Amino acid sequence: MAGQSGGLIGTQITLVKSTGSNAETKFTANGTWTPDGAGSKLLDVLIVAGGGGGGATKGAPKNAASGGGGAGGVLFLSCVPNVHPAPKSVTIGGGGAGNAGAPANGGNGANGANSVWGCFTSIAGGGGGGVNHPASPGYLAGSDGGSGGGGQGGCGGGGNVGGCSTQSDATGFPGSAFGNDGGSGNFPPATPGDCRTGGGGGGATAVGGTGVLANAGGAGFGPAASQFPASAPFGDGNFLAGGGGGGQYIPGVEPSIPTTRPAGGTGGGGGGAISSAGYPCVPAPLAALAVGEAGCTNSGGGGGGGGKLGFAACTPFALGADNSGSDGRAGGNGGSGIVLVKEKNHLKAPGVWNINEIYNKVKADEWSNSF
């Protein structure tokens, strides 16, 4: 499920809660993390960047739908030694804007912005691919990012590939990075019914769907709810960094046009557009579905890919700009990011402890606060 204001960053700076012997802090906007209490601790830190915006197409003659935005990159740092506790700067990356689309132009959605905790950075999600005809190449690949954006779909003129994931592990924390490539747009010869369909944006734990009718965004990061229980709820069902769904463009006629969006990835990815050239006229609910959906705020979800409507104006559905000819429709904005920090074993045990001993004890779940 995606929100309606994915590109915005919330005004709340921090929310500090405590669960048992652990202290948690949730950042939904820029701020400063300050350790809670004295003594050496181990930290779990989750850093999610802003998701990429969905791509958009132009009007005639390029009949196509666009790629979904890639999710923001994810870093999950487990058992970070906090030997010398000190405040750390926190930056929450905003979501990238979806491309606006128009009769005369289109193009890729914008990449999101990086999120930062101290010296650790998660990489912004890549924008979904669009069409910028008559420039060359007209059909665009998804942009690279923490997770890559989906590629633009094309039929007769060629689709394009999804963007690559550029999120890498933090130094000293192997396996800490989560991000995937975007899916490819549909390439000719197209399977009937799948023509001109964009790829889904990559998600934290899965690649974006290829440009077929089931072109969902990649799935997001799920274990955050169990790692940060006091900070829940967050994201989409406590999942984060889902890719945006790719847009669909189907050369059919009513009532054969689907009315269900290509799904955004679990974790705040926006749903893709549904669009067609086959309408004699377009009822308002279906015209609205030709715009990509925004990713959820503070989820790092990618925005859904935009579509296109090509039809003649008619009554009783006279909708002005939404029922006046052949236009490309906008991609959805990406969702802003989030940072979660947990200080493990908040209470300090008596005695003199070597930090390596503490690290090994906590990792083995043998560190007690009831000495």
Side-chain angles (χ1 to χ4, degrees), residues 33 41-48 73-82 88-90 115-123 167-178 221 223-224 227-228 240 338-344 359 362-363:
W33 177 79
K41 302 179 187 70
L42 297 177
L43 310 175
D44 286 345
V45 184
L46 184 68
I47 310 167
V48 181
V74 175
L75 282 179
F76 178 50
L77 311 174
S78 180
C79 292
V80 181
N82 194 34
K88 292 178 173 59
S89 177
V90 178
S115 289
V116 182
W117 178 81
C119 60
F120 297 100
T121 300
S122 59
I123 305 301
Q167 183 67 61
S168 58
D169 288 339
T171 302
F173 294 90
S176 59
F178 294 86
F221 184 85
Q227 295 290 344
F228 300 91
L240 296 164
I338 192 169
V339 170
L340 306 173
V341 184
K342 178 170 69 177
E343 296 177 77
K344 303 176 76 167
Y359 179 88
V362 172
K363 203 162 188 180

Side-chain angles (χ1 to χ4, degrees), residues 19-47:
T19 172
S21 60
N22 298 324
E24 293 186 25
T25 311
K26 176 169 69 174
F27 289 86
T28 56
N30 298 345
T32 300
W33 177 79
T34 302
D36 181 28
S40 299
K41 302 179 187 70
L42 297 177
L43 310 175
D44 286 345
V45 184
L46 184 68
I47 310 167

Side-chain angles (χ1 to χ4, degrees), residues 106-248:
N108 282 22
N111 284 19
N114 297 344
S115 289
V116 182
W117 178 81
C119 60
F120 297 100
T121 300
S122 59
I123 305 301
V131 167
N132 67 343
H133 183 80
S136 181
Y139 295 90
L140 301 176
S143 299
D144 296 341
S147 284
Q152 167 75 44
C155 189
N160 217 320
V161 298
C164 296
S165 171
T166 59
Q167 183 67 61
S168 58
D169 288 339
T171 302
F173 294 90
S176 59
F178 294 86
N180 282 277
D181 297 345
S184 296
N186 189 277
F187 285 78
T191 302
D194 294 346
C195 190
R196 306 164 180 148
T197 297
T205 60
V207 298
T210 56
V212 295
L213 294 188
N215 53 344
F221 184 85
S226 60
Q227 295 290 344
F228 300 91
S231 294
F234 45 75
D236 171 12
N238 298 324
F239 280 66
L240 296 164
Q248 294 179 355

